[in-house]
Amino acid sequence: NYKKVSVKIYDRTGRLLKTLTGENLTWDGKLNGVYMPKNDYWFTVEMIGLNDKSMSIVGHFSLLR
C-alpha cells in the first residue's frame, strides 16, 4: 500500500542502469538494447506510503544467464 515506488539499478561502479517506476517494475537485464554481463548489481527501492512517510531499501543481486 504505497502511493509511489521507484527502483534504481546500478552496476558495480555506481553507474545508474535503469530506473523503474509505476506499475511495471521489471528489468530485462539490458542497457541500450544490449544484455548486461553476469555480475553483481545493486539497487535502491524508494517508497512513499499512504501516510506520506518514505522508506528506502538498499541491496544487491547477482545477474545470471
Side-chain angles (χ1 to χ4, degrees):
N1 294 333
Y2 296 97
K3 290 194 300 188
K4 183 178 177 183
V5 176
S6 69
V7 178
K8 293 182 180 180
I9 301 173
Y10 302 89
D11 67 10
R12 63 186 178 100
T13 66
R15 178 176 56 154
L16 178 63
L17 302 176
K18 184 75 174 181
T19 301
L20 309 169
T21 58
E23 296 290 324
N24 188 9
L25 296 172
T26 61
W27 179 49
D28 61 3
K30 295 180 183 177
L31 178 64
N32 298 325
V34 178
Y35 283 107
M36 296 300 295
K38 293 187 282 187
N39 211 333
D40 289 333
Y41 294 88
W42 283 258
F43 65 88
T44 60
V45 179
E46 306 224 355
M47 301 168 280
I48 299 176
L50 298 175
N51 57 2
D52 289 329
K53 292 192 177 189
S54 63
M55 178 178 165
S56 296
I57 299 171
V58 177
H60 75 281
F61 64 95
S62 295
L63 180 63
L64 305 174
R65 300 242 177 251

PDB file of all heavy atoms in Angstrom, residues 8-43:
ATOM      1  N   LYS A   8      15.911   1.791  -8.534  1.00  0.00           N
ATOM      2  CA  LYS A   8      17.049   2.176  -9.361  1.00  0.00           C
ATOM      3  C   LYS A   8      18.073   1.051  -9.300  1.00  0.00           C
ATOM      4  O   LYS A   8      18.371   0.536  -8.235  1.00  0.00           O
ATOM      5  CB  LYS A   8      17.659   3.479  -8.864  1.00  0.00           C
ATOM      6  CG  LYS A   8      16.718   4.645  -9.048  1.00  0.00           C
ATOM      7  CD  LYS A   8      17.338   5.941  -8.605  1.00  0.00           C
ATOM      8  CE  LYS A   8      16.343   7.069  -8.821  1.00  0.00           C
ATOM      9  NZ  LYS A   8      16.883   8.346  -8.403  1.00  0.00           N
ATOM     10  N   ILE A   9      18.595   0.669 -10.478  1.00  0.00           N
ATOM     11  CA  ILE A   9      19.559  -0.417 -10.587  1.00  0.00           C
ATOM     12  C   ILE A   9      20.895   0.166 -11.048  1.00  0.00           C
ATOM     13  O   ILE A   9      20.938   0.948 -12.004  1.00  0.00           O
ATOM     14  CB  ILE A   9      19.073  -1.503 -11.572  1.00  0.00           C
ATOM     15  CG1 ILE A   9      17.738  -2.070 -11.086  1.00  0.00           C
ATOM     16  CG2 ILE A   9      20.118  -2.601 -11.727  1.00  0.00           C
ATOM     17  CD1 ILE A   9      17.078  -3.011 -12.055  1.00  0.00           C
ATOM     18  N   TYR A  10      21.974  -0.246 -10.353  1.00  0.00           N
ATOM     19  CA  TYR A  10      23.312   0.281 -10.611  1.00  0.00           C
ATOM     20  C   TYR A  10      24.278  -0.863 -10.894  1.00  0.00           C
ATOM     21  O   TYR A  10      24.116  -1.968 -10.379  1.00  0.00           O
ATOM     22  CB  TYR A  10      23.845   1.023  -9.375  1.00  0.00           C
ATOM     23  CG  TYR A  10      22.973   2.151  -8.916  1.00  0.00           C
ATOM     24  CD1 TYR A  10      21.943   1.928  -8.006  1.00  0.00           C
ATOM     25  CD2 TYR A  10      23.184   3.439  -9.365  1.00  0.00           C
ATOM     26  CE1 TYR A  10      21.139   2.972  -7.568  1.00  0.00           C
ATOM     27  CE2 TYR A  10      22.391   4.494  -8.926  1.00  0.00           C
ATOM     28  CZ  TYR A  10      21.373   4.251  -8.028  1.00  0.00           C
ATOM     29  OH  TYR A  10      20.587   5.278  -7.602  1.00  0.00           O
ATOM     30  N   ASP A  11      25.331  -0.573 -11.667  1.00  0.00           N
ATOM     31  CA  ASP A  11      26.399  -1.563 -11.822  1.00  0.00           C
ATOM     32  C   ASP A  11      27.409  -1.406 -10.691  1.00  0.00           C
ATOM     33  O   ASP A  11      27.241  -0.565  -9.806  1.00  0.00           O
ATOM     34  CB  ASP A  11      27.061  -1.471 -13.204  1.00  0.00           C
ATOM     35  CG  ASP A  11      27.840  -0.188 -13.428  1.00  0.00           C
ATOM     36  OD1 ASP A  11      28.060   0.600 -12.481  1.00  0.00           O
ATOM     37  OD2 ASP A  11      28.270   0.029 -14.587  1.00  0.00           O
ATOM     38  N   ARG A  12      28.476  -2.193 -10.719  1.00  0.00           N
ATOM     39  CA  ARG A  12      29.420  -2.195  -9.596  1.00  0.00           C
ATOM     40  C   ARG A  12      30.234  -0.913  -9.490  1.00  0.00           C
ATOM     41  O   ARG A  12      30.841  -0.648  -8.458  1.00  0.00           O
ATOM     42  CB  ARG A  12      30.349  -3.404  -9.666  1.00  0.00           C
ATOM     43  CG  ARG A  12      31.232  -3.439 -10.871  1.00  0.00           C
ATOM     44  CD  ARG A  12      32.014  -4.754 -10.920  1.00  0.00           C
ATOM     45  NE  ARG A  12      32.831  -4.810 -12.101  1.00  0.00           N
ATOM     46  CZ  ARG A  12      34.126  -4.546 -12.111  1.00  0.00           C
ATOM     47  NH1 ARG A  12      34.737  -4.224 -11.005  1.00  0.00           N
ATOM     48  NH2 ARG A  12      34.803  -4.622 -13.239  1.00  0.00           N
ATOM     49  N   THR A  13      30.249  -0.096 -10.532  1.00  0.00           N
ATOM     50  CA  THR A  13      30.947   1.187 -10.474  1.00  0.00           C
ATOM     51  C   THR A  13      30.040   2.317 -10.005  1.00  0.00           C
ATOM     52  O   THR A  13      30.475   3.449  -9.878  1.00  0.00           O
ATOM     53  CB  THR A  13      31.552   1.559 -11.842  1.00  0.00           C
ATOM     54  OG1 THR A  13      30.487   1.781 -12.781  1.00  0.00           O
ATOM     55  CG2 THR A  13      32.477   0.480 -12.351  1.00  0.00           C
ATOM     56  N   GLY A  14      28.764   2.007  -9.781  1.00  0.00           N
ATOM     57  CA  GLY A  14      27.813   3.013  -9.337  1.00  0.00           C
ATOM     58  C   GLY A  14      27.062   3.703 -10.462  1.00  0.00           C
ATOM     59  O   GLY A  14      26.294   4.630 -10.226  1.00  0.00           O
ATOM     60  N   ARG A  15      27.253   3.249 -11.684  1.00  0.00           N
ATOM     61  CA  ARG A  15      26.555   3.834 -12.835  1.00  0.00           C
ATOM     62  C   ARG A  15      25.090   3.403 -12.819  1.00  0.00           C
ATOM     63  O   ARG A  15      24.772   2.216 -12.722  1.00  0.00           O
ATOM     64  CB  ARG A  15      27.219   3.368 -14.128  1.00  0.00           C
ATOM     65  CG  ARG A  15      26.531   3.877 -15.386  1.00  0.00           C
ATOM     66  CD  ARG A  15      27.261   3.491 -16.631  1.00  0.00           C
ATOM     67  NE  ARG A  15      27.437   2.041 -16.712  1.00  0.00           N
ATOM     68  CZ  ARG A  15      27.570   1.379 -17.840  1.00  0.00           C
ATOM     69  NH1 ARG A  15      27.581   2.015 -18.996  1.00  0.00           N
ATOM     70  NH2 ARG A  15      27.718   0.064 -17.828  1.00  0.00           N
ATOM     71  N   LEU A  16      24.196   4.372 -12.926  1.00  0.00           N
ATOM     72  CA  LEU A  16      22.765   4.084 -12.960  1.00  0.00           C
ATOM     73  C   LEU A  16      22.422   3.431 -14.290  1.00  0.00           C
ATOM     74  O   LEU A  16      22.677   3.992 -15.358  1.00  0.00           O
ATOM     75  CB  LEU A  16      21.949   5.363 -12.778  1.00  0.00           C
ATOM     76  CG  LEU A  16      20.446   5.219 -12.839  1.00  0.00           C
ATOM     77  CD1 LEU A  16      19.927   4.341 -11.709  1.00  0.00           C
ATOM     78  CD2 LEU A  16      19.783   6.588 -12.794  1.00  0.00           C
ATOM     79  N   LEU A  17      21.846   2.230 -14.233  1.00  0.00           N
ATOM     80  CA  LEU A  17      21.484   1.487 -15.434  1.00  0.00           C
ATOM     81  C   LEU A  17      20.018   1.639 -15.799  1.00  0.00           C
ATOM     82  O   LEU A  17      19.670   1.720 -16.976  1.00  0.00           O
ATOM     83  CB  LEU A  17      21.789  -0.002 -15.246  1.00  0.00           C
ATOM     84  CG  LEU A  17      23.228  -0.366 -14.914  1.00  0.00           C
ATOM     85  CD1 LEU A  17      23.338  -1.863 -14.668  1.00  0.00           C
ATOM     86  CD2 LEU A  17      24.164   0.084 -16.009  1.00  0.00           C
ATOM     87  N   LYS A  18      19.161   1.657 -14.786  1.00  0.00           N
ATOM     88  CA  LYS A  18      17.719   1.660 -15.058  1.00  0.00           C
ATOM     89  C   LYS A  18      16.970   2.222 -13.868  1.00  0.00           C
ATOM     90  O   LYS A  18      17.328   1.958 -12.725  1.00  0.00           O
ATOM     91  CB  LYS A  18      17.251   0.220 -15.330  1.00  0.00           C
ATOM     92  CG  LYS A  18      15.820   0.039 -15.715  1.00  0.00           C
ATOM     93  CD  LYS A  18      15.591   0.467 -17.135  1.00  0.00           C
ATOM     94  CE  LYS A  18      14.159   0.150 -17.563  1.00  0.00           C
ATOM     95  NZ  LYS A  18      13.885   0.518 -18.921  1.00  0.00           N
ATOM     96  N   THR A  19      15.941   3.002 -14.141  1.00  0.00           N
ATOM     97  CA  THR A  19      15.010   3.469 -13.116  1.00  0.00           C
ATOM     98  C   THR A  19      13.642   2.901 -13.463  1.00  0.00           C
ATOM     99  O   THR A  19      13.152   3.081 -14.578  1.00  0.00           O
ATOM    100  CB  THR A  19      14.947   5.009 -13.069  1.00  0.00           C
ATOM    101  OG1 THR A  19      16.258   5.517 -12.783  1.00  0.00           O
ATOM    102  CG2 THR A  19      13.980   5.479 -12.009  1.00  0.00           C
ATOM    103  N   LEU A  20      13.057   2.194 -12.515  1.00  0.00           N
ATOM    104  CA  LEU A  20      11.747   1.578 -12.703  1.00  0.00           C
ATOM    105  C   LEU A  20      10.734   2.313 -11.850  1.00  0.00           C
ATOM    106  O   LEU A  20      10.976   2.554 -10.665  1.00  0.00           O
ATOM    107  CB  LEU A  20      11.793   0.109 -12.284  1.00  0.00           C
ATOM    108  CG  LEU A  20      12.916  -0.736 -12.894  1.00  0.00           C
ATOM    109  CD1 LEU A  20      13.000  -2.075 -12.191  1.00  0.00           C
ATOM    110  CD2 LEU A  20      12.694  -0.916 -14.365  1.00  0.00           C
ATOM    111  N   THR A  21       9.593   2.664 -12.431  1.00  0.00           N
ATOM    112  CA  THR A  21       8.535   3.343 -11.692  1.00  0.00           C
ATOM    113  C   THR A  21       7.185   2.834 -12.163  1.00  0.00           C
ATOM    114  O   THR A  21       7.083   2.165 -13.179  1.00  0.00           O
ATOM    115  CB  THR A  21       8.591   4.873 -11.908  1.00  0.00           C
ATOM    116  OG1 THR A  21       8.482   5.150 -13.297  1.00  0.00           O
ATOM    117  CG2 THR A  21       9.869   5.475 -11.365  1.00  0.00           C
ATOM    118  N   GLY A  22       6.167   3.204 -11.418  1.00  0.00           N
ATOM    119  CA  GLY A  22       4.805   2.892 -11.829  1.00  0.00           C
ATOM    120  C   GLY A  22       4.427   1.440 -11.634  1.00  0.00           C
ATOM    121  O   GLY A  22       4.949   0.742 -10.776  1.00  0.00           O
ATOM    122  N   GLU A  23       3.558   0.973 -12.484  1.00  0.00           N
ATOM    123  CA  GLU A  23       3.013  -0.370 -12.380  1.00  0.00           C
ATOM    124  C   GLU A  23       3.991  -1.441 -12.869  1.00  0.00           C
ATOM    125  O   GLU A  23       3.956  -2.569 -12.425  1.00  0.00           O
ATOM    126  CB  GLU A  23       1.718  -0.473 -13.196  1.00  0.00           C
ATOM    127  CG  GLU A  23       0.608   0.410 -12.698  1.00  0.00           C
ATOM    128  CD  GLU A  23       0.041  -0.064 -11.374  1.00  0.00           C
ATOM    129  OE1 GLU A  23      -0.039  -1.294 -11.178  1.00  0.00           O
ATOM    130  OE2 GLU A  23      -0.299   0.787 -10.553  1.00  0.00           O
ATOM    131  N   ASN A  24       4.847  -1.093 -13.822  1.00  0.00           N
ATOM    132  CA  ASN A  24       5.729  -2.077 -14.448  1.00  0.00           C
ATOM    133  C   ASN A  24       7.128  -1.985 -13.844  1.00  0.00           C
ATOM    134  O   ASN A  24       7.978  -1.267 -14.342  1.00  0.00           O
ATOM    135  CB  ASN A  24       5.773  -1.853 -15.960  1.00  0.00           C
ATOM    136  CG  ASN A  24       6.518  -2.956 -16.669  1.00  0.00           C
ATOM    137  OD1 ASN A  24       6.853  -3.972 -16.075  1.00  0.00           O
ATOM    138  ND2 ASN A  24       6.783  -2.755 -17.937  1.00  0.00           N
ATOM    139  N   LEU A  25       7.374  -2.726 -12.785  1.00  0.00           N
ATOM    140  CA  LEU A  25       8.667  -2.713 -12.108  1.00  0.00           C
ATOM    141  C   LEU A  25       9.495  -3.915 -12.543  1.00  0.00           C
ATOM    142  O   LEU A  25       9.885  -4.758 -11.740  1.00  0.00           O
ATOM    143  CB  LEU A  25       8.479  -2.693 -10.592  1.00  0.00           C
ATOM    144  CG  LEU A  25       7.805  -1.446 -10.028  1.00  0.00           C
ATOM    145  CD1 LEU A  25       7.504  -1.623  -8.549  1.00  0.00           C
ATOM    146  CD2 LEU A  25       8.667  -0.225 -10.251  1.00  0.00           C
ATOM    147  N   THR A  26       9.767  -4.023 -13.859  1.00  0.00           N
ATOM    148  CA  THR A  26      10.553  -5.139 -14.372  1.00  0.00           C
ATOM    149  C   THR A  26      11.746  -4.611 -15.161  1.00  0.00           C
ATOM    150  O   THR A  26      11.713  -3.511 -15.714  1.00  0.00           O
ATOM    151  CB  THR A  26       9.724  -6.057 -15.285  1.00  0.00           C
ATOM    152  OG1 THR A  26       9.260  -5.308 -16.410  1.00  0.00           O
ATOM    153  CG2 THR A  26       8.550  -6.652 -14.539  1.00  0.00           C
ATOM    154  N   TRP A  27      12.804  -5.402 -15.203  1.00  0.00           N
ATOM    155  CA  TRP A  27      14.001  -5.077 -15.970  1.00  0.00           C
ATOM    156  C   TRP A  27      14.413  -6.320 -16.733  1.00  0.00           C
ATOM    157  O   TRP A  27      14.487  -7.416 -16.171  1.00  0.00           O
ATOM    158  CB  TRP A  27      15.115  -4.616 -15.029  1.00  0.00           C
ATOM    159  CG  TRP A  27      16.400  -4.266 -15.696  1.00  0.00           C
ATOM    160  CD1 TRP A  27      16.561  -3.449 -16.784  1.00  0.00           C
ATOM    161  CD2 TRP A  27      17.707  -4.696 -15.344  1.00  0.00           C
ATOM    162  NE1 TRP A  27      17.887  -3.345 -17.115  1.00  0.00           N
ATOM    163  CE2 TRP A  27      18.626  -4.113 -16.240  1.00  0.00           C
ATOM    164  CE3 TRP A  27      18.209  -5.529 -14.349  1.00  0.00           C
ATOM    165  CZ2 TRP A  27      19.989  -4.317 -16.180  1.00  0.00           C
ATOM    166  CZ3 TRP A  27      19.580  -5.737 -14.287  1.00  0.00           C
ATOM    167  CH2 TRP A  27      20.453  -5.130 -15.190  1.00  0.00           C
ATOM    168  N   ASP A  28      14.707  -6.181 -18.011  1.00  0.00           N
ATOM    169  CA  ASP A  28      15.080  -7.331 -18.842  1.00  0.00           C
ATOM    170  C   ASP A  28      16.580  -7.616 -18.835  1.00  0.00           C
ATOM    171  O   ASP A  28      17.043  -8.479 -19.565  1.00  0.00           O
ATOM    172  CB  ASP A  28      14.571  -7.143 -20.270  1.00  0.00           C
ATOM    173  CG  ASP A  28      15.153  -5.921 -20.951  1.00  0.00           C
ATOM    174  OD1 ASP A  28      16.015  -5.229 -20.348  1.00  0.00           O
ATOM    175  OD2 ASP A  28      14.741  -5.627 -22.094  1.00  0.00           O
ATOM    176  N   GLY A  29      17.347  -6.891 -18.034  1.00  0.00           N
ATOM    177  CA  GLY A  29      18.788  -7.134 -17.950  1.00  0.00           C
ATOM    178  C   GLY A  29      19.577  -6.479 -19.069  1.00  0.00           C
ATOM    179  O   GLY A  29      20.741  -6.784 -19.269  1.00  0.00           O
ATOM    180  N   LYS A  30      18.945  -5.549 -19.807  1.00  0.00           N
ATOM    181  CA  LYS A  30      19.618  -4.885 -20.923  1.00  0.00           C
ATOM    182  C   LYS A  30      19.902  -3.420 -20.607  1.00  0.00           C
ATOM    183  O   LYS A  30      19.178  -2.783 -19.843  1.00  0.00           O
ATOM    184  CB  LYS A  30      18.748  -4.932 -22.180  1.00  0.00           C
ATOM    185  CG  LYS A  30      18.514  -6.308 -22.727  1.00  0.00           C
ATOM    186  CD  LYS A  30      17.642  -6.228 -23.961  1.00  0.00           C
ATOM    187  CE  LYS A  30      17.307  -7.604 -24.514  1.00  0.00           C
ATOM    188  NZ  LYS A  30      16.405  -7.496 -25.674  1.00  0.00           N
ATOM    189  N   LEU A  31      20.940  -2.910 -21.238  1.00  0.00           N
ATOM    190  CA  LEU A  31      21.243  -1.485 -21.233  1.00  0.00           C
ATOM    191  C   LEU A  31      21.427  -1.076 -22.682  1.00  0.00           C
ATOM    192  O   LEU A  31      22.279  -1.633 -23.382  1.00  0.00           O
ATOM    193  CB  LEU A  31      22.509  -1.182 -20.423  1.00  0.00           C
ATOM    194  CG  LEU A  31      22.950   0.274 -20.400  1.00  0.00           C
ATOM    195  CD1 LEU A  31      21.889   1.138 -19.705  1.00  0.00           C
ATOM    196  CD2 LEU A  31      24.287   0.428 -19.708  1.00  0.00           C
ATOM    197  N   ASN A  32      20.593  -0.152 -23.151  1.00  0.00           N
ATOM    198  CA  ASN A  32      20.626   0.299 -24.550  1.00  0.00           C
ATOM    199  C   ASN A  32      20.513  -0.873 -25.532  1.00  0.00           C
ATOM    200  O   ASN A  32      21.197  -0.927 -26.548  1.00  0.00           O
ATOM    201  CB  ASN A  32      21.890   1.105 -24.832  1.00  0.00           C
ATOM    202  CG  ASN A  32      21.969   2.353 -23.991  1.00  0.00           C
ATOM    203  OD1 ASN A  32      20.951   2.984 -23.703  1.00  0.00           O
ATOM    204  ND2 ASN A  32      23.159   2.709 -23.564  1.00  0.00           N
ATOM    205  N   GLY A  33      19.660  -1.846 -25.184  1.00  0.00           N
ATOM    206  CA  GLY A  33      19.391  -2.977 -26.066  1.00  0.00           C
ATOM    207  C   GLY A  33      20.403  -4.105 -26.002  1.00  0.00           C
ATOM    208  O   GLY A  33      20.267  -5.094 -26.707  1.00  0.00           O
ATOM    209  N   VAL A  34      21.435  -3.973 -25.161  1.00  0.00           N
ATOM    210  CA  VAL A  34      22.478  -4.997 -25.047  1.00  0.00           C
ATOM    211  C   VAL A  34      22.395  -5.625 -23.656  1.00  0.00           C
ATOM    212  O   VAL A  34      22.322  -4.916 -22.651  1.00  0.00           O
ATOM    213  CB  VAL A  34      23.879  -4.370 -25.261  1.00  0.00           C
ATOM    214  CG1 VAL A  34      24.968  -5.412 -25.096  1.00  0.00           C
ATOM    215  CG2 VAL A  34      23.956  -3.701 -26.623  1.00  0.00           C
ATOM    216  N   TYR A  35      22.435  -6.971 -23.632  1.00  0.00           N
ATOM    217  CA  TYR A  35      22.383  -7.661 -22.349  1.00  0.00           C
ATOM    218  C   TYR A  35      23.599  -7.319 -21.500  1.00  0.00           C
ATOM    219  O   TYR A  35      24.730  -7.321 -21.999  1.00  0.00           O
ATOM    220  CB  TYR A  35      22.315  -9.180 -22.539  1.00  0.00           C
ATOM    221  CG  TYR A  35      20.957  -9.672 -22.938  1.00  0.00           C
ATOM    222  CD1 TYR A  35      20.720 -10.110 -24.227  1.00  0.00           C
ATOM    223  CD2 TYR A  35      19.911  -9.684 -22.027  1.00  0.00           C
ATOM    224  CE1 TYR A  35      19.467 -10.558 -24.603  1.00  0.00           C
ATOM    225  CE2 TYR A  35      18.650 -10.140 -22.386  1.00  0.00           C
ATOM    226  CZ  TYR A  35      18.435 -10.570 -23.681  1.00  0.00           C
ATOM    227  OH  TYR A  35      17.202 -11.009 -24.044  1.00  0.00           O
ATOM    228  N   MET A  36      23.357  -7.046 -20.233  1.00  0.00           N
ATOM    229  CA  MET A  36      24.440  -6.789 -19.291  1.00  0.00           C
ATOM    230  C   MET A  36      25.104  -8.122 -18.943  1.00  0.00           C
ATOM    231  O   MET A  36      24.466  -9.169 -18.971  1.00  0.00           O
ATOM    232  CB  MET A  36      23.897  -6.123 -18.029  1.00  0.00           C
ATOM    233  CG  MET A  36      23.297  -4.750 -18.278  1.00  0.00           C
ATOM    234  SD  MET A  36      24.462  -3.580 -18.967  1.00  0.00           S
ATOM    235  CE  MET A  36      25.634  -3.426 -17.632  1.00  0.00           C
ATOM    236  N   PRO A  37      26.403  -8.093 -18.620  1.00  0.00           N
ATOM    237  CA  PRO A  37      27.101  -9.344 -18.311  1.00  0.00           C
ATOM    238  C   PRO A  37      26.692  -9.919 -16.960  1.00  0.00           C
ATOM    239  O   PRO A  37      26.156  -9.209 -16.104  1.00  0.00           O
ATOM    240  CB  PRO A  37      28.571  -8.922 -18.287  1.00  0.00           C
ATOM    241  CG  PRO A  37      28.547  -7.476 -17.951  1.00  0.00           C
ATOM    242  CD  PRO A  37      27.285  -6.939 -18.570  1.00  0.00           C
ATOM    243  N   LYS A  38      26.970 -11.213 -16.800  1.00  0.00           N
ATOM    244  CA  LYS A  38      26.775 -11.837 -15.491  1.00  0.00           C
ATOM    245  C   LYS A  38      27.668 -11.090 -14.515  1.00  0.00           C
ATOM    246  O   LYS A  38      28.868 -10.948 -14.761  1.00  0.00           O
ATOM    247  CB  LYS A  38      27.169 -13.313 -15.517  1.00  0.00           C
ATOM    248  CG  LYS A  38      26.283 -14.166 -16.370  1.00  0.00           C
ATOM    249  CD  LYS A  38      26.612 -15.631 -16.226  1.00  0.00           C
ATOM    250  CE  LYS A  38      27.845 -15.970 -17.018  1.00  0.00           C
ATOM    251  NZ  LYS A  38      28.125 -17.413 -17.061  1.00  0.00           N
ATOM    252  N   ASN A  39      27.072 -10.613 -13.435  1.00  0.00           N
ATOM    253  CA  ASN A  39      27.831  -9.829 -12.480  1.00  0.00           C
ATOM    254  C   ASN A  39      26.931  -9.508 -11.300  1.00  0.00           C
ATOM    255  O   ASN A  39      25.748  -9.874 -11.286  1.00  0.00           O
ATOM    256  CB  ASN A  39      28.332  -8.535 -13.130  1.00  0.00           C
ATOM    257  CG  ASN A  39      29.646  -8.069 -12.554  1.00  0.00           C
ATOM    258  OD1 ASN A  39      29.969  -8.346 -11.408  1.00  0.00           O
ATOM    259  ND2 ASN A  39      30.418  -7.358 -13.370  1.00  0.00           N
ATOM    260  N   ASP A  40      27.485  -8.807 -10.321  1.00  0.00           N
ATOM    261  CA  ASP A  40      26.695  -8.308  -9.202  1.00  0.00           C
ATOM    262  C   ASP A  40      26.222  -6.900  -9.526  1.00  0.00           C
ATOM    263  O   ASP A  40      26.963  -6.100 -10.108  1.00  0.00           O
ATOM    264  CB  ASP A  40      27.512  -8.293  -7.908  1.00  0.00           C
ATOM    265  CG  ASP A  40      27.778  -9.690  -7.386  1.00  0.00           C
ATOM    266  OD1 ASP A  40      26.966 -10.589  -7.669  1.00  0.00           O
ATOM    267  OD2 ASP A  40      28.781  -9.876  -6.688  1.00  0.00           O
ATOM    268  N   TYR A  41      24.996  -6.617  -9.131  1.00  0.00           N
ATOM    269  CA  TYR A  41      24.387  -5.308  -9.348  1.00  0.00           C
ATOM    270  C   TYR A  41      23.738  -4.863  -8.046  1.00  0.00           C
ATOM    271  O   TYR A  41      23.404  -5.678  -7.197  1.00  0.00           O
ATOM    272  CB  TYR A  41      23.346  -5.380 -10.479  1.00  0.00           C
ATOM    273  CG  TYR A  41      23.986  -5.685 -11.806  1.00  0.00           C
ATOM    274  CD1 TYR A  41      24.186  -6.998 -12.217  1.00  0.00           C
ATOM    275  CD2 TYR A  41      24.420  -4.668 -12.632  1.00  0.00           C
ATOM    276  CE1 TYR A  41      24.804  -7.291 -13.417  1.00  0.00           C
ATOM    277  CE2 TYR A  41      25.031  -4.944 -13.842  1.00  0.00           C
ATOM    278  CZ  TYR A  41      25.226  -6.256 -14.229  1.00  0.00           C
ATOM    279  OH  TYR A  41      25.835  -6.533 -15.423  1.00  0.00           O
ATOM    280  N   TRP A  42      23.564  -3.569  -7.911  1.00  0.00           N
ATOM    281  CA  TRP A  42      22.985  -3.007  -6.696  1.00  0.00           C
ATOM    282  C   TRP A  42      21.692  -2.299  -7.036  1.00  0.00           C
ATOM    283  O   TRP A  42      21.463  -1.899  -8.172  1.00  0.00           O
ATOM    284  CB  TRP A  42      23.979  -2.034  -6.062  1.00  0.00           C
ATOM    285  CG  TRP A  42      25.064  -2.765  -5.353  1.00  0.00           C
ATOM    286  CD1 TRP A  42      25.169  -2.956  -4.015  1.00  0.00           C
ATOM    287  CD2 TRP A  42      26.172  -3.453  -5.918  1.00  0.00           C
ATOM    288  NE1 TRP A  42      26.280  -3.715  -3.714  1.00  0.00           N
ATOM    289  CE2 TRP A  42      26.909  -4.027  -4.869  1.00  0.00           C
ATOM    290  CE3 TRP A  42      26.622  -3.657  -7.222  1.00  0.00           C
ATOM    291  CZ2 TRP A  42      28.058  -4.768  -5.086  1.00  0.00           C
ATOM    292  CZ3 TRP A  42      27.768  -4.398  -7.437  1.00  0.00           C
ATOM    293  CH2 TRP A  42      28.467  -4.946  -6.366  1.00  0.00           C
ATOM    294  N   PHE A  43      20.830  -2.154  -6.024  1.00  0.00           N
ATOM    295  CA  PHE A  43      19.550  -1.478  -6.249  1.00  0.00           C
ATOM    296  C   PHE A  43      19.162  -0.659  -5.022  1.00  0.00           C
ATOM    297  O   PHE A  43      19.611  -0.926  -3.913  1.00  0.00           O
ATOM    298  CB  PHE A  43      18.441  -2.485  -6.581  1.00  0.00           C
ATOM    299  CG  PHE A  43      18.106  -3.419  -5.451  1.00  0.00           C
ATOM    300  CD1 PHE A  43      17.156  -3.071  -4.501  1.00  0.00           C
ATOM    301  CD2 PHE A  43      18.735  -4.650  -5.338  1.00  0.00           C
ATOM    302  CE1 PHE A  43      16.848  -3.930  -3.453  1.00  0.00           C
ATOM    303  CE2 PHE A  43      18.433  -5.519  -4.307  1.00  0.00           C
ATOM    304  CZ  PHE A  43      17.482  -5.148  -3.358  1.00  0.00           C
TER     305      PHE A  43
END
